[in-house]
């Protein structure tokens, strides 16, 4: 560190000019503080070096140093230097480069990832899977299961993309598969992994397939389209001209019939210690059955919630429920129009509907002339648990009312083509159970509902006109002057 006393300044103060006479006493006192070195105060925002680092940096002052020590210091200085980062590049902060990169792939809001970004994203996803698979399925938390499902959706093979179509199933099958995925570790090279036992994804290492094809694309055990690709006995490859790396898939979700689990079909051999993510065929079969059972129970509950089918036997309800398809309709949609044959049988699962009927009425024009017009009269409402259109399809007659969705609807729909697949007993039971909706309403009740509806409309119009006249009489004009809320008053 610097010495406390500045000896050069001390010599100046001790000069004879300062020691002579009484007039220089004030000057001596002013110069006296300059004898001592002032401590270096750091500037705000600039980091300072500690005393220890300062001593080590100035330890060589005053003594000779060898060229080996200088070279060692240079090497140590280079090793202590931080590794370069992307921010060290002066062009990394140029926003023009990033904008041009986004425009190259499309709109800035919907820009796709480039090739390098896709590779990095894939490596990150595989790293996440490698860490999560270290736990057994029952040890993983709900949050970790969601993370596995999210990553599997991104790295899932395109050959098996049909399993990602959630429109076929109300419950995603892949979400359930993510909860049973396990880790399979092969510690040595030259060992065989059998792909007929399940679907495998390579998380670490390299393998080469022993047979072709090494990935089965069929998800049905009864499908015979791929029988020609898996000849028996299985022909083995003689040359290792194909290699599978990290992120590749092999095996099958559905076990090949008439083949043992340890069969060479769909098998691979490791070239180094490997780690695999495995979804076994037994787990896939069990989950598929569970998902189908959930969907079937849900359809049966929708049918049984309708009052017409509460006393039906369970076998007949099951036969009718297997024909249901789910369909969504927005609000203010015409489900069935009056005078038309119903396009389907619908069971309302969620939502509400309004039932209207067209009536002929006389309307007086401002000039006193009367015209005949058709108006819709509200007869009632349909709620969750009601059904529509059975009698119209079975008897092939037009429906007597129009059904319009009041809110968003979720319907269980049976088309006429599928209704023909029912056996004679179930069709007879269906025709004896259901009947026309709102068919018992008489003309007097329709007339009374029409008068009530028209009186309500007339009252609403009169109340609105009276309110506007009152406000205009008092000088109140909404949207003008000081009653113009939320907007600047006109100049």
């Amino acid at each position: 560190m610097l010495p406390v006393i500045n000896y050069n300044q001390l010599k100046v103060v001790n000069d004879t000019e300062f020691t002579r006479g009484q007039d220089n006493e004030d000057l001596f006192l002013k110069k006296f503080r300059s004898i001592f070195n002032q401590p270096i105060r750091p500037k705000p925002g600039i980091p300072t070096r500690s005393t220890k680092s300062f001593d080590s940096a100035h330890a060589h002052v005053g003594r000779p140093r060898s060229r080996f020590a200088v070279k060692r210091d240079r090497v140590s200085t280079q090793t202590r230097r931080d590794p370069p980062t992307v921010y060290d590049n002066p062009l990394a902060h140029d926003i023009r480069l990033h904008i041009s990169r986004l425009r190259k792939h499309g709109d800035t809001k919907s820009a796709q990832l480039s090739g390098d970004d896709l590779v990095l994203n894939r490596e990150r996803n595989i790293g996440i899977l490698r860490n999560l698979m270290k736990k057994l399925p029952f040890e993983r938390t709900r949050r970790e299961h969601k993370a596995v499902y999210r990553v599997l959706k991104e790295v899932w093979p395109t050959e098996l993309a049909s399993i990602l179509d959630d429109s076929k199933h109300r419950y995603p099958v892949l979400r359930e598969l993510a909860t049973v995925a396990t880790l399979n570790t092969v510690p040595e090279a030259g060992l065989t992994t059998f792909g007929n036992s399940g679907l495998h994804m390579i998380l670490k290492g390299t393998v080469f397939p022993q047979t072709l094809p090494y990935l089965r694309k069929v998800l049905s055990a009864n499908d015979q389209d791929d029988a020609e690709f898996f000849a028996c006995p299985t022909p083995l490859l003689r040359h290792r001209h194909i290699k599978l790396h990290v992120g590749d898939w092999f095996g099958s979700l559905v076990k090949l019939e008439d083949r043992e689990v340890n069969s060479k079909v769909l098998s691979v051999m490791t070239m180094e210690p490997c780690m695999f993510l495995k979804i076994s065929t037994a787990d896939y079969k069990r989950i598929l059955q569970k998902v189908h059972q959930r969907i079937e129970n849900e359809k049966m509950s929708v049918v049984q919630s309708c009052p017409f089918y509460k006393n039906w036997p369970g076998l007949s309800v099951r036969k009718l429920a297997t024909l249901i398809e789910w369909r969504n309709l927005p609000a203010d949609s015409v489900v069935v129009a009056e005078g038309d044959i119903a396009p389907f049988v619908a069971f309302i699962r969620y939502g509400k509907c309004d039932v209207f009927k067209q009536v002929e009425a006389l309307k007086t024009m401002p000039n006193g002339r009367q015209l005949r017009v058709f108006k819709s009269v509200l007869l009632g409402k349909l709620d969750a648990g009601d059904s529509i259109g059975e009698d119209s399809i079975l008897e092939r007659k037009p429906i007597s009312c129009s059904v319009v969705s009041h809110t968003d609807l979720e319907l269980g729909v049976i088309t006429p083509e599928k209704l023909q697949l029912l056996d004679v007993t179930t069709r007879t039971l269906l025709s004896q159970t259901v009947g026309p909706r709102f068919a018992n309403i008489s003309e007097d009740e329709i007339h009374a509902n029409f008068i009530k509806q028209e009186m309500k409309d007339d009252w609403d119009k009169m109340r609105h006109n009276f309110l506007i006249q009152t406000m205009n009489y008092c000088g109140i004009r909404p949207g003008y002057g000081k009653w113009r809320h939320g907007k600047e008053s006109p100049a």
Side-chain angles (χ1 to χ4, degrees), residues 70-334:
V70 175
K71 183 177 182 181
R72 184 175 63 252
D73 290 344
R74 290 179 180 175
V75 174
S76 62
T77 304
Q78 294 176 359
T79 55
R80 286 196 304 267
R81 188 176 301 169
D82 294 334
T85 61
V86 68
Y87 299 102
D88 295 333
N89 186 5
L91 297 178
H93 303 279
D94 192 355
I95 193 64
R96 294 174 297 179
L97 298 178
H98 300 281
I99 294 298
S100 62
R101 183 181 180 183
L102 290 176
R103 288 177 178 175
K104 184 186 300 182
H105 299 282
D107 190 14
T108 56
K109 294 183 179 180
S110 60
Q112 299 178 354
L113 295 176
S114 63
D116 296 339
D117 295 334
L118 289 175
V119 172
L120 294 176
N121 188 35
R122 185 181 182 184
E123 293 179 354
R124 183 178 68 251
N125 290 333
I126 294 175
I128 293 173
L129 283 178
R130 192 183 296 118
N131 293 330
L132 292 175
M133 288 298 106
K134 293 180 181 179
K135 293 183 179 181
L136 295 175
F138 61 87
E139 294 178 345
R140 295 197 291 265
T141 62
R142 184 177 181 182
R143 186 176 181 180
E144 291 173 342
H145 284 313
K146 289 183 178 180
V148 175
Y149 169 65
R150 185 172 60 252
V151 175
L152 281 180
K153 286 185 66 177
E154 298 184 9
V155 301
W156 193 256
T158 56
E159 294 84 357
L160 302 177
S162 59
I163 200 174
L164 300 178
D165 188 7
D166 298 340
S167 61
K168 296 182 179 180
H169 308 287
R170 294 179 59 82
Y171 302 96
V173 179
L174 186 59
R175 185 188 298 275
E176 302 292 334
L177 293 178
T179 61
V180 297
T182 57
L183 181 66
N184 185 14
T185 304
V186 181
E188 299 179 5
L191 299 180
T192 301
T193 301
F194 303 101
N196 197 25
S197 61
L199 186 65
H200 297 74
M201 177 186 178
I202 304 175
L203 299 179
K204 181 181 178 181
T206 307
V207 301
F208 66 90
Q210 294 182 330
T211 63
L212 288 179
Y214 54 85
L215 178 64
R216 191 186 184 193
K217 306 176 183 179
V218 179
L219 297 178
S220 176
N222 299 325
D223 200 328
Q224 303 297 331
D225 294 341
D226 60 338
E228 58 182 3
F229 298 104
F230 300 98
C232 186
T234 305
L236 299 180
L237 295 178
R238 297 181 179 180
H239 304 285
R240 302 177 182 179
H241 60 280
I242 299 177
K243 292 183 181 180
L244 302 181
H245 304 277
V246 174
D248 294 332
W249 295 79
F250 67 91
S252 174
L253 283 173
V254 180
K255 181 182 175 182
L256 284 170
E257 298 297 332
D258 302 330
R259 298 295 180 93
E260 299 295 333
V261 177
N262 57 353
S263 174
K264 291 291 185 179
V265 64
L266 300 172
S267 64
V268 298
M269 183 173 290
T270 60
M271 304 179 64
E272 55 183 321
C274 298
M275 296 171 58
F276 306 111
L277 179 147
K278 180 181 178 181
I279 301 175
S280 66
T281 56
D283 289 335
Y284 176 72
K285 183 178 180 181
R286 176 176 54 84
I287 287 175
L288 208 59
Q289 293 176 352
K290 182 172 67 173
V291 168
H292 289 322
Q293 186 65 33
R294 287 181 183 177
I295 297 173
E296 186 178 356
N297 293 338
E298 189 177 21
K299 292 179 179 179
M300 290 185 62
S301 64
V302 170
V303 175
Q304 290 177 340
S305 62
C306 184
F308 291 147
Y309 307 93
K310 285 186 177 180
N311 297 326
W312 271 38
L315 181 61
S316 299
V317 173
R318 188 180 300 275
K319 290 180 180 179
L320 189 63
T322 53
L323 305 177
I324 289 180
E325 296 179 356
W326 299 111
R327 188 175 299 180
N328 297 323
L329 291 178
D332 299 329
S333 299
V334 179

